[in-house]
Amino acid sequence: QQGTPTMAEQQMPQAMTQEEQQKQQEQAAQQEMERDSMLRAILDGEARERLKRIACVKPEKARAVENYVIQSVRAGRVPPPVSDSKLKQLLEAMNEQTG
């Protein structure tokens, strides 16, 4: 009997896992909110609309563009706000890099 874990002990790792999963989901949601806020501050209205349209067709492409824009602004290569015409230039540059 000593070697057999109780029902509560057997369920404990699952509870921790669920708790950890919930914490990870909350962190991911918080990061996504911060990302959206940053993009709203960086992009003007037309550029945001263009990215939304891209996301409807190619979500992974839109995410890559968002990452590129954020990195470019952080590195000082592109001053905010990013206009629609500047976003088009960045898209063209990305397309040239990826072939």
Side-chain angles (χ1 to χ4, degrees):
Q1 271 232 354
Q2 271 182 317
T4 307
T6 66
M7 184 66 91
E9 289 171 340
Q10 289 175 358
Q11 290 176 347
M12 203 180 217
Q14 286 181 334
M16 290 296 287
T17 302
Q18 289 173 349
E19 197 173 294
E20 288 171 0
Q21 286 175 347
Q22 183 177 357
K23 189 179 280 189
Q24 286 178 345
Q25 288 173 346
E26 289 171 4
Q27 287 175 342
Q30 178 66 29
Q31 288 174 346
E32 197 61 32
M33 285 174 39
E34 289 172 6
R35 178 186 180 81
D36 289 344
S37 176
M38 188 181 307
L39 287 167
R40 278 193 304 274
I42 291 172
L43 299 169
D44 73 7
E46 289 180 24
R48 277 196 309 274
E49 285 301 314
R50 181 173 299 277
L51 260 180
K52 284 181 188 175
R53 289 191 300 272
I54 293 169
C56 288
V57 180
K58 295 183 177 181
E60 66 286 344
K61 172 86 171 184
R63 189 72 172 193
V65 172
E66 290 170 356
N67 291 338
Y68 189 75
V69 169
I70 290 170
Q71 290 171 356
S72 296
V73 169
R74 282 185 174 166
R77 293 188 301 264
V78 177
V82 175
S83 66
D84 186 51
S85 60
K86 184 62 181 174
L87 181 63
K88 284 190 237 181
Q89 291 173 0
L90 293 172
L91 285 165
E92 289 171 8
M94 284 184 70
N95 287 337
E96 288 173 10
Q97 287 177 358
T98 57

